[in-house]
Amino acid sequence: MSISVADQLDLFDIEVKTNQRDQTSTTFIGNMKLPVHRWFRYSAGFSADWVKETIRQYAKDKSMILDPFAGSGTTLVAANEIRFPSIGFEKQYFVNRIANIKLHYTFNIDHTKKLYNEIIHCPVSKDFNFDGQPELLKNCYTPEILSILIAMRDKYNEIADNSFESEILWLAITAILRSTSHAGTAQWQYIQPNKKKKNAIDPYAAFSQKFSEIVWDLQLFNKKNITAQAEILNHDARELLQAYKNAFDILITSPPYPNNYDYADATRFEMIFWNEIKGWSDLQTRVRNGLIRSCSQHSAAEKLNLDTILHDPLLVPISGEITAVCKELEQVRLEHGGKKTYHTMIAAYYLDLAKVFINLRQLMKKNSIVCFVIGDSAPYGVYAPADIWLGKLALAAGFESWSFEKTRDRNIKWKNRKHRVPLKEGRLWIRG
Ligand SMILES: C[S@@+](CC[C@H](N)C(=O)[O-])C[C@H]1O[C@@H](n2cnc3c(N)ncnc32)[C@H](O)[C@@H]1O
């Protein structure tokens, strides 16, 4: 079963209202010009410059930084750049691998070039079987382009040697899969085989360019003596990691939003290319497990009991409000064709975040600073105020205060929208 792009995007069309600097500080756009950050474009990141500014503003000499939803590693790379140690959690294994590569800067240039040369000069099979390739790939590439990319992939698999240098090559191939496809890419990473874009880049040119970009940036970091003081763990942010109790002074993160975006699906295209999953059904078993339940695929009504979730003691601080919203959604969904399980999605999402705050209270030192870049949502037009609910859950977990700083409005274009609720994105500052 697949969810349409229109449906996925329905909840979070973005329109900018505030000033230029502010609105880009909660996006990834600016990072595509920055060394190392630019290696892979990942959705829902935030600006690395803003992360650095924030760390500088609050850090003391030996402050330890945490990002419990590290994604492609923006916070961690930024912390490295200004020489603060950091730890990240990222439960989506494919994204975790990408972030890991962005957190190593020592490399052997000769070995890297040798691997690169083997891949770029590998012959393309004359018997390439286009028809035998996965459907999604056939829809996204011409036979000629796909034969080149598959030849690169197979060569990589043949010569990969578990070294960081071969990880660089893996990333260089992974990072060009979208720019070399004629398929459109929707906002937030969804591939759209039926939408054609004008300029697909030649795979050899894209690969060379990405490779030289990575090597250039590594050399730049080495020249600046930037060393990796960060580690990214394949850890679920809801669970305590004893080793890091009371370890952190500053937390900067952007968790999944309760807006039906599926982080398991975010790299489905790349995972299919690398033969790691066969298709949609593998996402649930291999990728989605362990992720915050922020999408309806993750909150099937037959698997989750709404009342059981709503009666969980962890939701007591918001129980009246969340029960009203979820019960309304339980009714409203019946009026919609898709009958999406947003009622269980919202309930499960806030229960997951309650667990995250309880965990974070133990990981963060007393008087620490916590910043969550968040967005609220209004599935089927029913508004769930993320700032207030998350603020209350943070206080219930033992933090002392919270405040919300809006950075931009979302969904303010009424045309074609099903609902009329202005949504916002911004920073939830939590202290104590
Ligand atoms: C908004 S993105 C973070 C993007 C990040 N700021 C960056 O620079 O790329 C949220 C991330 O949280 C991850 N995630 C979801 N559930 C998680 C969990 N239970 N524990 C750790 N990470 C999780 C998702 O896979 C996703 O990569």
Side-chain angles (χ1 to χ4, degrees), residues 39 104-105 107 164 168 214-222:
W39 294 354
H104 286 84
Y105 315 125
F107 76 120
F164 171 56
I168 293 176
I214 294 174
V215 170
W216 174 276
D217 292 352
L218 284 171
Q219 288 176 327
L220 181 77
F221 266 37
N222 284 323

Side-chain angles (χ1 to χ4, degrees), residues 47-66:
S47 135
D49 285 337
W50 169 77
V51 173
K52 283 189 247 180
E53 258 173 53
T54 307
I55 296 177
R56 282 199 185 102
Q57 187 177 350
Y58 293 105
K60 297 181 205 90
D61 238 8
K62 292 199 171 109
S63 287
M64 262 293 265
I65 321 295
L66 173 65

Side-chain angles (χ1 to χ4, degrees), residues 19-199:
N19 70 63
Q20 188 64 23
R21 190 191 154 278
D22 245 350
Q23 48 102 350
T24 55
S25 66
T26 47
T27 71
F28 197 75
I29 298 163
N31 296 348
M32 289 315 287
K33 296 196 194 99
L34 300 176
V36 181
H37 296 280
R38 62 183 175 160
W39 294 354
F40 185 83
R41 179 159 190 179
Y42 189 55
S43 45
F46 37 54
S47 135
D49 285 337
W50 169 77
V51 173
K52 283 189 247 180
E53 258 173 53
T54 307
I55 296 177
R56 282 199 185 102
Q57 187 177 350
Y58 293 105
K60 297 181 205 90
D61 238 8
K62 292 199 171 109
S63 287
M64 262 293 265
I65 321 295
L66 173 65
D67 184 345
F69 299 101
S72 63
T74 306
T75 301
L76 280 61
V77 174
N80 277 337
E81 287 176 273
I82 53 173
R83 296 170 172 82
F84 283 94
S86 62
I87 296 287
F89 305 150
E90 175 51 57
K91 204 58 195 143
Q92 212 266 46
Y93 82 94
F94 196 89
V95 178
N96 182 301
R97 182 173 180 183
I98 291 168
N100 240 308
I101 299 168
K102 290 166 67 187
L103 299 172
H104 286 84
Y105 315 125
T106 314
F107 76 120
N108 177 322
I109 181 93
D110 296 332
H111 187 44
T112 317
K113 279 188 187 159
K114 181 176 163 287
L115 296 174
Y116 166 79
N117 280 324
E118 289 196 48
I119 292 172
I120 198 119
H121 295 303
C122 69
V124 172
S125 165
K126 289 204 176 63
D127 314 317
F128 176 65
N129 176 10
F130 184 74
D131 291 337
Q133 300 302 319
E135 233 20 67
L136 183 60
L137 299 185
K138 284 194 284 183
N139 290 336
C140 290
Y141 297 109
T142 61
E144 191 204 344
I145 302 294
L146 189 55
S147 67
I148 297 170
L149 290 168
I150 295 287
M152 287 181 175
R153 179 196 72 189
D154 291 348
K155 190 65 183 175
Y156 168 83
N157 284 333
E158 188 191 316
I159 62 175
D161 57 9
N162 283 326
S163 63
F164 171 56
E165 289 76 8
S166 65
E167 286 295 278
I168 293 176
L169 274 305
W170 176 86
L171 181 59
I173 297 172
T174 304
I176 62 166
L177 295 178
R178 287 171 197 247
S179 61
T180 51
S181 162
H182 57 68
T185 309
Q187 212 181 6
W188 289 49
Q189 217 88 0
Y190 290 103
I191 203 92
Q192 293 186 302
N194 300 331
K195 250 192 164 179
K196 298 252 181 287
K197 67 173 179 268
K198 276 194 204 123
N199 304 315

